[in-house]
């Protein structure tokens, strides 16, 4: 799915997480998940590595109903959301057409830099779960980089009106559109020529 998004819309992402091997197992294994909507992953725009390894922060967005929120976060300070809460967190707490509230929960990933005993940079990663009004949970990640892997299409730099470099990201098929249009034109012409061939009945001698 991540590769398909990269090809079609210029960017996709993978998330690495750990989970138990089974319901009765104490063994944890690494798993890889690709979000269906790549726009629910927001990465650090200042990262330079193509896979986002050097990103210092990232957001992972998820939307759920008010009932689902209460079941997942029963110890949250706010379980019933009012119009005042919707004004405090605009866009995060919304009301659907059916009158039911939708809660957007964000996982904020942050990479903290410290110094090791050798004087070299050392990184720790935490994830802060929030609904825009309070911190719901804090999780430690056993790794030195944020476990979200970015996948980009063709990356191009050009100068903007102010002479500053600007990055644009193209899908993997963006530069192939015009050649594909020419190919489709040729195929269409073949079909048109085939359609103009007269379809005469078979002829032959009697007897």
């Amino acid at each position: 799915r991540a590769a398909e998004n990269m090809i079609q819309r210029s960017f996709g992402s993978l998330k690495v997480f750990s989970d138990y091997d089974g319901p009765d197992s104490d063994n944890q294994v690494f798993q890889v998940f690709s979000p269906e909507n790549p726009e629910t992953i927001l990465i650090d725009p200042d990262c330079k590595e193509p896979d986002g390894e050097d990103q210092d922060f990232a957001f992972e967005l998820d939307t759920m109903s008010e009932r689902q929120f209460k079941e997942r976060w029963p110890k949250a300070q706010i379980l019933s959301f009012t119009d005042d809460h919707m004004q405090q967190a605009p866009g995060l707490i919304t009301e659907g057409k059916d009158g039911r509230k939708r809660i957007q929960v964000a996982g904020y990933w942050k990479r903290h830099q410290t110094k090791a005993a050798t004087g070299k940079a050392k990184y720790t990663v935490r994830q802060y779960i929030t609904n825009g009004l309070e911190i719901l949970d804090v999780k430690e990640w056993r790794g030195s980089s944020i476990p979200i892997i970015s996948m980009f299409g063709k990356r191009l730099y050009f100068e903007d009106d102010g002479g500053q470099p600007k990055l644009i990201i193209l899908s993997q098929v963006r530069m192939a559109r015009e050649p594909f249009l020419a190919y489709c034109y040729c195929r269409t012409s073949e079909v048109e020529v085939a359609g103009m061939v007269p379809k005469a009945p078979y002829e032959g001698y009697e007897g």
Side-chain angles (χ1 to χ4, degrees):
R1 184 185 296 168
E4 181 180 4
N5 286 325
M6 176 190 65
I7 294 172
Q8 294 182 349
R9 59 190 301 170
S10 77
F11 65 94
S13 61
L14 294 171
K15 178 187 175 184
V16 181
F17 65 98
S18 60
D19 199 1
Y20 290 102
D21 197 12
D24 300 324
S25 174
D26 293 331
N27 181 41
Q28 289 193 6
V29 295
F30 285 108
Q31 298 185 11
V32 179
F33 168 76
S34 176
E36 183 176 3
N37 181 7
E39 294 187 359
T40 58
I41 302 295
L42 308 176
I43 68 170
D44 182 359
D46 293 326
C47 65
K48 300 296 188 295
E49 295 295 331
D51 59 353
E53 182 183 4
D54 59 335
Q55 58 187 332
D56 290 326
F57 69 89
F59 287 92
E60 182 182 358
L61 308 179
D62 188 19
T63 304
M64 62 189 68
S65 66
E66 193 172 11
R67 178 185 58 81
Q68 292 173 325
F69 178 84
K70 292 179 180 180
E71 293 176 353
R72 187 170 180 180
W73 313 104
K75 296 183 179 180
Q77 297 180 8
I78 303 174
L79 292 176
S80 297
F81 298 91
T82 64
D83 293 340
D84 293 336
H85 295 141
M86 295 175 64
Q87 293 178 1
Q88 295 176 24
L92 300 179
I93 303 172
T94 58
E95 188 172 353
K97 295 181 179 180
D98 56 358
R100 298 180 180 179
K101 292 184 174 63
R102 302 286 299 177
I103 315 301
Q104 181 169 274
V105 177
Y108 172 60
W109 292 91
K110 178 64 177 176
R111 186 174 72 158
H112 301 273
Q113 180 177 347
T114 58
K115 283 189 177 182
T118 58
K120 297 182 179 180
K122 181 181 178 181
Y123 297 97
T124 58
V125 178
R126 293 189 183 94
Q127 184 190 34
Y128 303 87
I129 310 296
T130 179
N131 60 358
L133 298 172
E134 60 178 309
I135 300 297
L136 302 170
D137 195 7
V138 179
K139 299 180 180 180
E140 298 282 344
W141 172 252
R142 297 182 179 179
S144 59
S145 58
I146 296 174
I148 294 178
I149 303 172
S150 300
M151 300 178 64
F152 295 109
K154 190 174 183 62
R155 296 160 60 96
L156 298 175
Y157 286 90
F158 69 97
E159 289 187 359
D160 59 14
D161 296 337
Q164 299 297 321
K166 183 178 180 180
L167 171 66
I168 59 172
I169 303 175
L170 306 177
S171 67
Q172 291 285 47
V173 296
R174 178 63 180 87
M175 307 302 291
R177 286 184 180 179
E178 293 186 0
F180 185 69
L181 288 175
Y183 170 79
C184 292
Y185 175 77
C186 293
R187 297 293 294 177
T188 302
S189 300
E190 291 179 0
V191 174
E192 290 177 352
V193 172
M196 290 186 293
V197 176
K199 298 178 177 60
Y202 292 103
E203 296 181 0
Y205 293 103
E206 291 185 4

